[in-house]
């Protein structure tokens, strides 16, 4: 399981070079070799570099520099239809109780006024890997364990590997077009943004990706940003891969009147949506067919329909959408094959439920935060 917490291996690993030391923490003033499975060190007094070898028992070593790190030894390999061997990375924030010095993370999304980052990579040939930038979020200010939402930005993909889930569309962020994947690894939800060709460096707003994820209904402004990470997921080979520079800055104050927190925008530049709700009820049950139409002029890539069921109605099973209910509030999210709606396009789903009392249909619907008309 990715980033699964395990006990650190015992110290005293024999290294091939006597000129550098194994790092189990502390601050790196010169190059520092890390071969411990979860060994880490601090650079610039601000960021943590971690070996984070979790998918293989074979040795992996990285060399932490003053600006990033390089993979120097990588003996393990994994089948390309499964998980990678590791995620050697540099991060700002908190990762399994290991928090970078002086970090202001976790911080609630609604309180972020700006979040910027830059990353530069050095790539190698003949290996199977991705260059991945990770943004982690959770409903609570979590400093330990797995977060519920992982945003992955794949800046380079080499070999026959693919993100978790399936393609739900494309989007334009940080000055380029990304293929968007959505799924779950069983422990957390994942939205991945995959570049069409290798990107060796990127200077961007982290909030662009957080806001896009929120607009897809995956998080809300009440969630917390817990860490920002950049590194590699190797499957086969990868010695010489390097992060040559990294920076991350997250500023609070998003809740003040002159810099209000971001709000959920409509699902397109010129937005609009309509819902047709067709129900069939009997003494103690009902079925409902729901059709969503994009009446705006911009495509919708990923949708969440929100509404309230009248008292006495409970959803029992659904099809063509992931439907959850909390009290009277219902949330329906697209599945892999119906997440993209072109202008004028439609998506349909249905469900069955139990009924206690007389039947009536929901009175209003909102799609990605925008109120829809009724057909």
């Amino acid at each position: 399981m990715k980033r699964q917490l395990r006990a650190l291996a015992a110290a005293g690993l024999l290294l091939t070079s006597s000129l550098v030391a194994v790092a189990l923490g502390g601050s790196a003033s010169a190059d520092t070799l890390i071969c411990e499975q979860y060994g880490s060190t601090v650079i610039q007094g601000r960021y943590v570099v971690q070996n984070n070898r979790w998918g293989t028992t074979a040795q992996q070593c990285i060399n932490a520099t003053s600006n990033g790190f390089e993979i120097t030894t990588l003996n393990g390999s994994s089948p390309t239809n499964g998980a990678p061997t590791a995620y050697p990375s540099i991060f700002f924030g908190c990762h399994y109780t290991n928090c970078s010095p002086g970090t202001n993370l976790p911080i609630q999304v609604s309180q972020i006024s700006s979040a910027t980052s830059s990353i530069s990579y050095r790539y190698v040939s003949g290996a199977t890997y991705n260059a991945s930038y990770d943004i982690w979020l959770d409903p609570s200010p979590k400093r330990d364990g797995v977060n519920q939402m992982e945003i992955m930005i794949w800046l380079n993909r080499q070999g026959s590997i693919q993100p978790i889930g399936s393609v739900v569309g494309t989007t334009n962020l940080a000055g380029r077009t990304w293929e968007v994947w959505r799924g779950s690894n069983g422990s957390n939800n994942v939205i991945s943004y995959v570049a069409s060709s290798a990107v060796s460096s990127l200077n961007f707003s982290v909030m662009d990706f957080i806001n896009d994820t929120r607009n897809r209904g995956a998080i809300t402004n009440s969630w917390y940003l817990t860490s920002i990470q950049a590194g590699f997921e190797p499957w086969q080979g990868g010695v010489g891969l390097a992060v040559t520079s990294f920076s991350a800055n997250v500023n609070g104050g998003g809740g003040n009147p002159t810099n209000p927190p971001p709000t959920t925008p409509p699902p397109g530049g010129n937005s609009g949506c309509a819902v047709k709700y067709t129900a069939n009820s009997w003494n103690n049950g009902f079925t409902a067919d729901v059709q969503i139409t994009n009446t705006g002029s911009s495509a919708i890539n990923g949708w969440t329909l929100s509404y309230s069921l009248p008292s006495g109605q409970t959803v029992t099973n659904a099809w063509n959408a992931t439907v959850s209910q909390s009290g009277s509030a219902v949330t329906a999210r697209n599945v892999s094959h119906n997440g993209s709606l072109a202008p004028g396009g439609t998506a349909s789903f249905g469900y069955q439920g139990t009924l206690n009392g007389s039947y009536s249909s929901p009175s209003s619907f909102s799609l990605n935060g925008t109120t829809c008309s009724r057909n």
Side-chain angles (χ1 to χ4, degrees), residues 154-166:
W154 286 36
L155 290 100
N156 192 3
R157 170 170 55 171
Q158 296 296 315
S160 57
I161 55 174
Q162 67 179 43
I164 290 169
S166 56

Side-chain angles (χ1 to χ4, degrees), residues 9-16 22 34-37 53 59-61:
L13 181 66
L14 179 64
L15 300 183
T16 58
V22 174
I34 308 173
C35 294
E36 285 286 335
Q37 183 176 9
R53 172 178 57 82
Q59 188 184 61
Q60 172 182 287
C61 297

Side-chain angles (χ1 to χ4, degrees), residues 152-186:
M152 298 189 75
I153 307 172
W154 286 36
L155 290 100
N156 192 3
R157 170 170 55 171
Q158 296 296 315
S160 57
I161 55 174
Q162 67 179 43
I164 290 169
S166 56
V167 177
V168 296
T170 60
T171 190
N172 293 310
L173 298 171
R176 63 181 61 245
T177 300
W178 308 84
E179 186 178 65
V180 184
W181 293 63
R182 188 166 183 173
S184 172
N185 63 17

Side-chain angles (χ1 to χ4, degrees), residues 8-86:
L8 289 174
L13 181 66
L14 179 64
L15 300 183
T16 58
S17 170
S18 61
L19 300 178
V20 290
V22 174
L24 298 177
S27 182
S29 58
D31 288 6
T32 304
L33 189 67
I34 308 173
C35 294
E36 285 286 335
Q37 183 176 9
Y38 298 108
S40 66
T41 192
V42 173
I43 67 170
Q44 300 179 27
R46 178 176 174 81
Y47 306 118
V48 176
V49 172
Q50 59 179 356
N51 199 25
N52 200 15
R53 172 178 57 82
W54 55 270
T56 179
T57 58
Q59 188 184 61
Q60 172 182 287
C61 297
I62 62 173
N63 186 48
T65 68
S66 59
N67 295 311
F69 69 91
E70 177 184 355
I71 300 175
T72 59
T73 304
L74 205 161
N75 294 326
S77 65
S78 296
T80 56
N81 61 350
T85 63

Side-chain angles (χ1 to χ4, degrees), residues 346-367:
T346 63
S348 298
F349 68 94
Y351 54 88
Q352 184 174 353
T354 58
L355 176 64
N356 182 12
S358 60
Y359 177 82
S360 59
S361 294
S363 58
S364 62
F365 301 85
S366 65
L367 186 71

